[in-house]
Amino acid sequence: MSTRHVVVVGAGPAGLAAAEAALAAGARVTLLDSADQPGGQYHRMLPEPYRAARPERLHHGWRAFDRRRRRVLGHPRCAWWSETSVWALERPAPDEPGVPRVHLLRGPADGATRRRLVLDPDALVLAVGAHDRVLPFPGWELPGVFTAGAAQALAKGERVVVGDRVVVAGTGPFLLPVAASLLEAGSRVLELLEANPAGTVAGGWARRPWQLAAHGGKAGELVEYAALLLRHRVPCRVGRTVVAARGDGRVEEVVTARLRPDWSVVPGTERAVAVDALCVGHGFSPRLELPVAAGCALRGTPGAEFVAVDDDQRTSCPGVYAAGEITGVAGAPAARAEGALAGWLAGGGTPDAPALRPLRRGRDQGRAFAARLADAHPIGPAWPEWLRPDTVVCRCEETDYAS
């Protein structure tokens, strides 16, 4: 009997946990990622010259991640393919049920020697994560305006600062680690702005407070970030955000304003702040290109669509599993639980294994956390009022709001 082959796409917290669990189930694993190192955005690794900078100071849970990374990448049944992109998933014919064929390109994204490869796995785990969601506003296309994730990636992955005088704005707790990464890299963060008012944020997090006991680790991270911002005297303001950016050739100042709960601007509260960089994030959007290509069904939520999965992380496509932020933005612990569950079952593990009970419990707690996060940091429906007729709303097509 041949060894079951599992392909895991994405080597962040969910994908790495899936690979480890599939190996534990006895499968052969091909783990691939477009980056040159595993870890995803959450455990983005420093380049070799900066490794002496003690990565555990910059990454929560670094030691556990590093142990898992070494176990997986050093396993004799694991093939680690870095700098590898999936350019197509070829579905089987309707009368020939099976797992989609995986078409790959291996090699540096800008290289001329990329190789085309094809894999025919017995099971496929999609753990491709999410990307920043940024709402347009006047001036958002200026050089010096960064997504929050891009700014953090440069700070964590390259020790590069995006500017000396930076404002961080948007909504959601992700703004805190972004500001912390910028401070650690040497930027001066002038202020951190949460668009939702205190009542909305508190109302979302205070609902059923006993459920927060399951997320003590996140509370510890919050305390660390708050202490760092306090030490650097970074003011954190709620109910205020950036509604415009200005500058000649690049961002030179931002206009902030106080918002009502629906995100309409309170007249007379506008204020200009001189900056050389702006970091903006309004939550996350799941990367759905591959799940859609595979034919996976989606489920709608008030803020976005995610991949629909059952209690075993199976999608509607036979042999395809999904884990992490493409099923719901719930944080790294929930992503690891989902990944481990998906990997074990994709690898042929028994669905009634005792070790799966805590994984399902952690996954369910993560889903509850995701719902709480959405309640505490929603996107206000009146944000289009910030826009002017000439505001670019689609950079690719150069489409303005008036169009």
Side-chain angles (χ1 to χ4, degrees), residues 1-289:
M1 181 177 178
S2 62
T3 303
R4 188 171 174 83
H5 181 208
V6 177
V7 170
V8 180
V9 184
L16 203 61
E20 183 179 45
L23 292 167
R28 177 169 60 91
V29 172
T30 301
L31 174 64
L32 49 99
D33 198 290
S34 58
D36 60 350
Q37 295 287 344
Q41 175 71 358
Y42 190 79
H43 289 300
R44 184 174 291 275
M45 298 176 67
L46 289 167
E48 196 64 39
Y50 297 111
R51 293 290 168 83
R54 293 181 60 198
E56 66 272 13
R57 292 182 59 249
L58 306 174
H59 303 268
H60 289 280
W62 171 265
R63 290 186 177 88
F65 157 72
D66 192 46
R67 289 193 296 269
R68 179 176 291 109
R69 176 180 67 90
R70 293 175 185 275
R71 285 195 302 267
V72 170
L73 271 57
H75 198 285
R77 279 186 276 108
C78 179
W80 160 236
W81 292 4
S82 62
E83 296 185 313
T84 301
S85 302
V86 178
W87 65 270
L89 292 178
E90 181 184 350
R91 303 187 208 175
D95 58 342
E96 298 177 4
V99 180
R101 174 173 288 178
V102 184
H103 294 265
L104 308 169
L105 284 174
R106 290 199 68 190
D110 56 352
T113 59
R114 304 186 82 186
R115 290 185 294 152
R116 289 191 178 189
L117 298 167
V118 179
L119 296 176
D120 288 296
D122 298 299
L124 176 64
V125 179
L126 299 177
V128 292
H131 53 76
D132 290 85
R133 176 173 56 194
V134 177
L135 303 177
F137 52 86
W140 73 307
E141 75 279 10
L142 282 171
V145 178
F146 295 82
T147 67
Q152 189 192 46
L154 288 169
K156 289 176 66 174
E158 301 290 342
R159 306 299 287 158
V160 171
V161 297
V162 297
D164 296 321
R165 295 171 52 83
V166 186
V167 166
V168 177
T171 187
F174 180 58
L175 301 179
L176 294 170
V178 170
S181 297
L182 292 170
L183 291 169
E184 291 277 5
S187 291
R188 179 186 172 193
V189 178
L190 302 180
E191 53 187 347
L192 186 152
L193 306 177
E194 161 62 50
N196 283 291
T200 301
V201 176
W205 289 114
R207 182 174 53 84
R208 298 176 183 173
W210 59 88
Q211 293 179 346
L212 292 174
H215 305 285
K218 290 185 175 65
E221 292 182 24
L222 177 63
V223 170
E224 287 185 38
Y225 294 138
L228 180 64
L229 297 181
L230 184 63
R231 189 161 64 249
H232 287 268
R233 298 181 180 179
V234 178
C236 300
R237 299 185 170 91
V238 296
R240 178 174 282 271
T241 198
V242 171
V243 295
R246 301 168 180 162
D248 183 10
R250 62 165 293 111
V251 64
E252 296 172 341
E253 71 173 17
V254 297
V255 178
T256 75
R258 191 154 58 85
L259 303 182
R260 300 186 181 95
D262 67 353
W263 287 24
S264 58
V265 172
V266 177
T269 63
E270 295 87 350
R271 179 168 56 88
V273 181
V275 301
D276 56 17
L278 168 65
C279 304
V280 189
H282 300 101
F284 298 93
S285 296
R287 301 177 65 92
L288 297 178
E289 296 87 351

Side-chain angles (χ1 to χ4, degrees), residues 130 283-286 299 306 324-331 334 366-367 369-371 373-374:
F284 298 93
S285 296
R299 62 178 179 87
F306 297 94
E325 292 178 324
I326 57 173
T327 71
V329 179
R367 289 177 177 174
F369 180 84
L373 179 66

